[in-house]
């Protein structure tokens, strides 16, 4: 079974470059307008540290968002969303040419067997339209209709699909009901390879409180979705969450995408709806559990908020060690 490595926290890396996006309602997608070169710099950093898939900087992007916060027309907003794909594609192309050139060097330690990296379109849940971090609890679900969710997500999905993505991540979804709605919407896009990724508050529940295995069952039972994810949660929760869905993984031949946060804790600030991460980066501690996640069905593994290119390199190393271990076992048999 091939295991691919996803990139890490692009937005936190953008902040590390000195860009103040913390309280910007467009978050990292603001740089699609102001500094696309910085986005490519971050993409290439993750590629250089071994990522097989990079995600577009479009999590917070939307047609109404660009209209409200950047005074863009519908056509301009769509073009900006597609620009997020083009920047990722350009980053892959430029990295790949350089990588192949280095691999051809007889003195190079770079191996020529690495596959060309891919691009995944990133879209956050309906929560992003409220710009209040409600993807961590999902309480907004009582105030929006199914039609509102569909009308918000359809043009976002369409823009990224038209631009030519390899995967589509509908991610950080905290509510089972919303996941069910966007899964139905995906029927309109049969040529995309999607994953539905849940934000979870512990090792058994979504951010809104539904039992994780029930939420997964609800989005995979019609056979449309074959990739299910866990993201934007503590790495502490990944193993128990994967353990809780072993029946679904087997019954529906699912592949799991796991990309937790670094382990730092998100806390809302008292005065504003904007929060911050506190605590320690735990990825060095949890990277050795990657083989366990693979054994439990994870086939795409990366990081979310606060995870760095070096964290991704650690994951690459443990994925490689796991592969070598399996090859060694086969050789002995």
């Amino acid at each position: 079974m091939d295991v691919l490595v996803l990139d890490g926290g692009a937005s936190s890396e953008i902040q590390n470059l000195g860009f103040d996006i913390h309280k910007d309602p467009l978050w990292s997608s603001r740089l699609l307008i102001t500094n696309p070169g910085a986005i490519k710099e971050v993409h290439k950093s993750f590629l250089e540290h071994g990522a097989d898939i990079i995600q577009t900087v479009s999590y917070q992007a939307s047609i109404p968002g660009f209209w409200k916060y950047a005074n863009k027309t519908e056509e301009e907003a769509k073009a900006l969303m597609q620009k997020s794909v083009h920047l990722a594609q350009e980053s892959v192309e430029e990295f790949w040419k350089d990588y192949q050139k280095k691999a051809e060097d007889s003195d190079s330690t770079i191996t020529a067997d690495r596959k060309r990296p891919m691009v995944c379109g990133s879209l956050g849940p309906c929560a992003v339209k409220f710009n209040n971090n409600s993807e961590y609890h999902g309480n907004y679900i009582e105030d929006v209709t199914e039609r509102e969710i569909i009308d918000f997500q359809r043009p976002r999905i369409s823009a990224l699909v038209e631009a030519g993505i390899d995967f589509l991540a509908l991610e950080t979804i905290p509510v089972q009901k919303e996941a069910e709605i966007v899964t139905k919407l995906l029927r309109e896009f049969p040529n995309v390879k999607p994953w539905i990724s849940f934000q979870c508050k512990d090792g058994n529940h979504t951010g809104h409180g539904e039992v994780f295995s029930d939420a997964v069952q609800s989005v995979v039972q019609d056979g449309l979705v074959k990739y299910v994810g866990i993201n934007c949660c503590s790495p502490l929760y990944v193993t128990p969450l994967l353990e809780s869905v072993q029946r679904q993984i087997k019954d529906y031949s699912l592949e799991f995408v796991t990309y937790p946060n670094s382990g730092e804790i998100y806390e809302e600030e008292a005065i504003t709806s904007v929060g911050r991460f506190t605590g320690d980066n735990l990825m060095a501690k949890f990277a050795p559990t990657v083989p366990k996640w693979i054994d439990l069905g994870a086939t795409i593994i990366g990081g979310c908020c606060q995870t760095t290119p070096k964290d991704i390199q650690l994951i690459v190393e443990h994925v490689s060690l796991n592969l070598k271990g399996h090859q060694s076992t086969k050789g002995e048999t």
Side-chain angles (χ1 to χ4, degrees):
M1 177 176 62
D2 289 336
V3 177
L4 300 173
V5 177
L6 187 64
D7 63 2
S11 293
S12 49
E13 281 301 294
I14 285 171
Q15 290 184 112
N16 291 340
L17 290 176
F19 294 94
D20 185 12
I21 59 172
H22 184 55
K23 297 182 180 180
D24 193 319
L26 292 176
W27 202 31
S28 53
S29 60
R30 173 71 67 181
L31 272 72
L32 293 169
I33 304 169
T34 62
N35 201 321
I39 293 175
K40 290 178 67 172
E41 182 179 344
V42 169
H43 283 327
K44 288 181 182 179
S45 181
F46 281 113
L47 290 168
E48 288 161 0
H49 284 79
D52 299 304
I53 305 171
I54 55 171
Q55 289 191 285
T56 57
V57 176
S58 53
Y59 174 89
Q60 195 93 355
S62 69
I63 307 298
F66 281 126
W67 172 80
K68 184 175 182 179
Y69 301 112
N71 196 32
K72 299 298 182 182
T73 66
E74 183 176 342
E75 286 187 2
E76 290 171 336
K78 179 179 178 180
L80 283 169
M81 296 201 67
Q82 295 186 326
K83 186 176 183 178
S84 73
V85 178
H86 300 151
L87 290 173
Q89 291 169 335
E90 289 169 15
S91 299
V92 168
E93 180 66 25
E94 291 166 15
F95 163 79
W96 192 239
K97 284 183 178 179
D98 186 56
Y99 181 88
Q100 289 183 309
K101 183 177 180 180
K102 290 178 180 177
E104 291 170 359
D105 186 342
S106 59
D107 297 325
S108 174
T109 58
I110 293 177
T111 59
D113 58 356
R114 182 176 176 180
K115 295 180 180 178
R116 182 189 174 95
M118 294 174 283
V119 171
C120 174
S122 165
L123 292 176
C126 191
V128 303
K129 69 185 291 187
F130 305 116
N131 189 38
N132 61 1
N133 304 299
S134 51
E135 56 261 64
Y136 287 101
H137 53 68
N139 294 340
Y140 61 87
I141 198 64
E142 306 302 327
D143 300 318
V144 295
T145 66
E146 178 172 338
R147 174 52 53 191
E148 286 173 322
I149 292 173
I150 289 174
D151 287 346
F152 179 69
Q153 295 288 22
R154 181 185 283 123
R156 302 174 83 210
I157 296 171
S158 179
L160 298 190
V161 170
E162 286 179 20
I165 50 178
D166 300 298
F167 291 93
L168 171 68
L170 295 167
E171 58 185 354
T172 326
I173 299 175
V175 190
Q176 178 176 332
K177 180 180 177 181
E178 182 174 5
E180 293 170 357
I181 292 169
V182 295
T183 297
K184 288 191 290 184
L185 177 59
L186 286 171
R187 293 172 185 159
E188 299 179 16
F189 303 93
N191 297 321
V192 70
K193 188 180 292 185
W195 70 64
I196 302 290
S197 189
F198 292 92
Q199 194 282 327
C200 294
K201 65 179 181 179
D202 57 34
N204 196 42
H205 299 91
T206 67
H208 191 247
E210 296 89 3
V211 174
F212 178 64
S213 59
D214 291 343
V216 171
Q217 178 71 29
S218 74
V219 300
V220 303
Q221 57 193 3
D222 68 356
L224 177 65
V225 174
K226 290 299 182 182
Y227 290 83
V228 180
I230 304 162
N231 80 290
C232 213
C233 67
S234 169
L236 283 167
Y237 305 152
V238 173
T239 297
L241 287 167
L242 287 173
E243 289 174 338
S244 74
V245 290
Q246 290 302 291
R247 181 180 66 80
Q248 286 83 3
I249 290 174
K250 180 180 178 181
D251 290 353
Y252 297 95
S253 302
L254 300 182
E255 299 194 41
F256 253 82
V257 189
T258 62
Y259 48 123
N261 293 338
S262 65
E264 294 161 77
I265 306 299
Y266 183 84
E267 296 178 348
E268 285 196 359
E269 296 175 350
I271 298 176
T272 72
S273 62
V274 179
R276 61 193 178 93
F277 284 91
T278 62
D280 298 324
N281 185 318
L282 302 178
M283 289 307 292
K285 177 180 178 181
F286 282 96
T289 65
V290 163
K292 174 71 170 177
W293 298 348
I294 295 171
D295 289 343
L296 289 170
T299 58
I300 300 176
I301 301 173
C304 199
C305 297
Q306 304 298 107
T307 55
T308 68
K310 288 185 178 180
D311 294 328
I312 297 309
Q313 185 174 28
L314 274 176
I315 292 173
V316 170
E317 291 169 358
H318 284 281
V319 167
S320 179
L321 287 171
N322 182 77
L323 175 62
K324 290 177 181 178
H326 280 285
Q327 290 174 338
S328 176
T329 301
K330 286 183 180 180
E332 292 173 0
T333 58

